[in-house]
Amino acid sequence: MAKLHENTATELLRMLSAGETTPVEVMATYLERIGKLEPKIHALTFVNKDAALKEAERAAKELKGAKGKKKPLLGMPIVVKECISTTGIQTTCCSKILQGYIPPYDATVVTRLKQAGAIIIAKSNMDEFAMGSSTERSCYGPTMNPWDVNRVPGGSSGGSGAAIAAREAPLALGSDTGGSIRCPAAYCGVAGIKSTYGRVSRYGLVAYANSLEQIGPITITARDSAMLLEVIAGKDIADSTSVDVPVDKYSQGIASLEGLKVGIPKEFFGEGLKADVKASVEKAVDKMKELGATTQEVSLPSIKYALPTYYLIAMCEASSNLARFDGLRYGLRVDVPKGNYDAMFSKTRQEGFGPEVRRRIILGTYALSAGYYDMFYVKALKARTIIQDDFKKALAKVDVLVGPTMPTTAFEIGTKVDDPLTMYLEDILTVPINLAGVPSLSVPVGADKAGMPIGMQVMGNFFKEQQVLGVGMALEDVLQFHKKLPPLAGA
Ligand code: GLN
């Protein structure tokens, strides 16, 4: 019989309902795993140990009393990324400037999770303010990839990705501004979805670049992501960019891949793509054909502009969003002689922000300044519209697009962190989707020669999450990657 932690979240929920396990047993199992595995992978920044166990006891009582209809995630432990606000639990964005900050309110997604019966087991490590692709830029130090602890887990939600891969929890939340859910999902061999812009409330997510980002699931399977997305998605009056479109039954997936039209964007298979990644994605596409899908090549000619477009827009928005961290209201304050507020602001910001965050604030402020605004920011917005049009045209011809999530597999810790441009290049296949605003799921489709996981993106039209997730479910049913655990997480 499978050990408790070897189950998917969907299976665990079934076992809880059937009385084959209890919320207390589930919570104790994962807390024990955290104790054993954290020294090796450092995925978490805070473990909510005592409170989570108490909550599990409460859930156990509730589950016993619940006849028939029960809360959809009752008793399920979940890891929440450090940039998502949680009442009474630190929310630091892994930045020195927010150390010690404990929010007095929950993000809407957290409220919905609690209403659904889920229990926060821990907060997860990330690149400072979600700026990065490797989780090496956290004030708490890096996270290690459970498949090879010398390598990065991807970023910026690398803590959530590593925690799921190591089975420190059955469910996790990440956030994705330019790939931060899909990159760690791909590098850690798990699933994750960035939904349509506006599908999930951003209220309580500490903003990095608000026109691009979404909170979303990082889970063992696409089916688990579907189940979690059903709980967190939907209109929220506290976030005016959330959209009032009905939330589908994502976990039902789609009937089959029979007749599904799949577009293969040729630009996703260009220069720099590692041979193993290409081969695994092509094999997965063949599987889709065996399941009845038809494929055709499509083109997204403007995505060659996506990387500079993304970085300009993201840095401009970041420079504005991060202006609020001034030493007056949150976290760190560097004291200076009385009354000299300018000195206090600049000393606090200089000490509180890491080098990458400072670089982006400076570049973003420059691009937004009066003399350069039209040349940089406005131009980037125009390019964004053209990129979005490419996606709209392609998705008018086919149901979904598929391609690699990342051009390579997880790289070694320390090899890119001092070279910002090389690090930005990591995002070449993920940022176009955020610029377009469409949904994209990353599912594991194989591994390279060194055994490092490879992820494939399934991109769909606006609000077609059910279709995208359905494709992921059909694929994982045949590929069964989730049955393979990293050696370190096995026993
Ligand atoms: N790596 C990208 C960046 O640094 C994306 C990060 C994210 O999605 N939060 O901006």
Side-chain angles (χ1 to χ4, degrees):
M1 212 175 82
K3 295 199 181 107
L4 205 60
H5 70 267
E6 289 170 353
N7 293 293
T8 63
T10 307
E11 178 60 10
L12 262 187
L13 260 173
R14 189 203 60 74
M15 291 168 70
L16 281 166
S17 292
E20 292 168 26
T21 183
T22 66
V24 176
E25 187 183 26
V26 169
M27 190 59 76
T29 299
Y30 286 108
L31 285 171
E32 194 196 318
R33 292 186 62 76
I34 288 173
K36 207 168 67 184
L37 293 166
E38 264 309 278
K40 296 182 188 150
I41 62 168
H42 188 238
L44 308 175
T45 48
F46 172 81
V47 182
N48 196 26
K49 195 170 175 199
D50 298 335
L53 266 175
K54 263 197 213 114
E55 284 295 316
E57 280 162 21
R58 198 173 309 155
K61 278 193 205 121
E62 194 175 327
L63 190 59
K64 261 197 196 142
K67 302 233 162 15
K69 204 165 163 54
K70 66 161 190 68
K71 293 175 181 165
L73 296 178
L74 187 58
M76 289 295 281
I78 185 161
V79 163
V80 176
K81 190 178 179 183
E82 267 287 337
C83 55
I84 301 172
S85 301
T86 42
T87 309
I89 301 178
Q90 68 170 58
T91 301
T92 65
C93 294
C94 294
S95 177
K96 205 173 149 194
I97 210 158
L98 271 174
Q99 256 172 6
Y101 172 63
I102 294 183
Y105 71 105
D106 279 327
T108 298
V109 292
V110 172
T111 307
R112 290 185 179 171
L113 284 172
K114 287 181 177 172
Q115 282 164 354
I119 303 167
I120 298 172
I121 185 171
K123 298 291 288 264
S124 62
N125 204 15
M126 58 186 275
D127 288 293
E128 184 179 0
F129 282 104
M131 297 175 187
S133 314
S134 65
T135 317
E136 292 171 285
R137 295 191 178 282
S138 159
C139 71
Y140 300 108
T143 293
M144 279 60 92
N145 191 314
W147 293 90
D148 175 354
V149 292
N150 296 311
R151 300 190 195 227
V152 303
S156 66
S157 317
S160 289
I164 294 300
R167 307 298 196 263
E168 288 185 334
L171 293 170
L173 283 184
S175 66
D176 190 313
T177 313
S180 282
I181 286 176
R182 290 160 289 153
C183 163
Y187 280 1
C188 293
V190 297
I193 181 167
K194 182 212 81 78
S195 50
T196 308
Y197 185 76
R199 178 69 297 182
V200 178
S201 167
R202 289 180 300 106
Y203 179 73
L205 168 68
V206 181
Y208 155 23
N210 20 2
S211 80
L212 296 158
E213 56 209 5
Q214 283 285 287
I215 297 172
I218 297 184
T219 57
I220 300 163
T221 59
R223 190 168 267 107
D224 290 351
S225 277
M227 175 184 79
L228 182 51
L229 188 62
E230 266 172 38
V231 169
I232 61 170
K235 172 74 185 162
D236 172 22
I237 50 159
D239 172 7
S240 60
T241 63
S242 69
V243 182
D244 199 2
V245 170
V247 175
D248 297 323
K249 268 268 167 218
Y250 304 132
S251 52
Q252 279 175 2
I254 50 177
S256 81
L257 298 198
E258 199 57 58
L260 186 85
K261 283 192 249 158
V262 180
I264 318 280
K266 62 171 191 240
E267 292 77 7
F268 273 68
F269 294 84
E271 205 190 322
L273 184 66
K274 197 173 157 174
D276 286 1
V277 175
K278 185 164 182 266
S280 276
V281 171
E282 282 172 351
K283 252 202 218 140
V285 171
D286 286 342
K287 281 270 178 276
M288 294 173 78
K289 284 195 216 161
E290 281 168 32
L291 294 171
T294 59
T295 60
Q296 56 177 281
E297 189 180 278
V298 296
S299 178
L300 302 165
S302 314
I303 67 165
K304 57 175 176 282
Y305 305 117
L307 207 60
T309 304
Y310 166 82
Y311 272 96
L312 264 168
I313 294 174
M315 288 180 190
C316 288
E317 292 187 20
S319 76
S320 161
N321 279 322
L322 271 56
R324 73 192 64 167
F325 303 105
D326 52 14
L328 277 181
R329 288 164 285 195
Y330 311 90
L332 181 79
R333 172 182 304 168
V334 178
D335 279 320
V336 294
K338 253 199 163 78
N340 192 348
Y341 291 113
D342 282 348
M344 186 198 81
F345 294 158
S346 63
K347 284 230 163 69
T348 298
R349 287 167 68 80
Q350 185 167 9
E351 256 190 46
F353 291 132
E356 180 62 24
V357 176
R358 284 205 302 267
R359 175 173 15 253
R360 295 192 191 198
I361 292 173
I362 291 167
L363 286 171
T365 308
Y366 178 81
L368 284 177
S369 60
Y372 295 101
Y373 184 84
D374 287 332
M375 200 194 325
F376 292 122
Y377 183 62
V378 173
K379 198 156 187 187
L381 291 184
K382 286 181 184 159
R384 179 180 192 168
T385 305
I386 294 169
I387 292 163
Q388 192 178 58
D389 283 346
D390 274 4
F391 275 88
K392 282 185 187 156
K393 275 185 211 140
L395 286 163
K397 282 192 257 172
V398 294
D399 300 310
V400 294
L401 301 168
V402 300
T405 307
M406 302 300 291
T408 66
T409 48
F411 49 91
E412 294 205 351
I413 293 175
T415 50
K416 296 194 181 181
V417 70
D418 295 322
D419 183 351
L421 284 183
T422 310
M423 190 69 91
Y424 298 168
L425 269 171
E426 278 287 298
D427 309 328
I428 193 147
L429 302 177
T430 50
V431 298
I433 290 92
N434 301 73
L435 291 167
V438 295
S440 175
L441 165 79
S442 181
V443 274
V445 290
D448 68 5
K449 283 184 202 77
M452 297 309 291
I454 291 165
M456 183 173 90
Q457 287 190 89
V458 185
M459 301 154 263
N461 223 326
F462 297 96
F463 297 101
K464 294 282 187 208
E465 277 78 7
Q466 182 153 8
Q467 196 165 43
V468 163
L469 287 158
V471 171
M473 291 181 209
L475 264 177
E476 71 199 7
D477 283 347
V478 292
L479 296 174
Q480 297 280 310
F481 189 89
H482 54 278
K483 295 267 166 69
K484 252 177 76 182
L485 266 62
L488 147 166

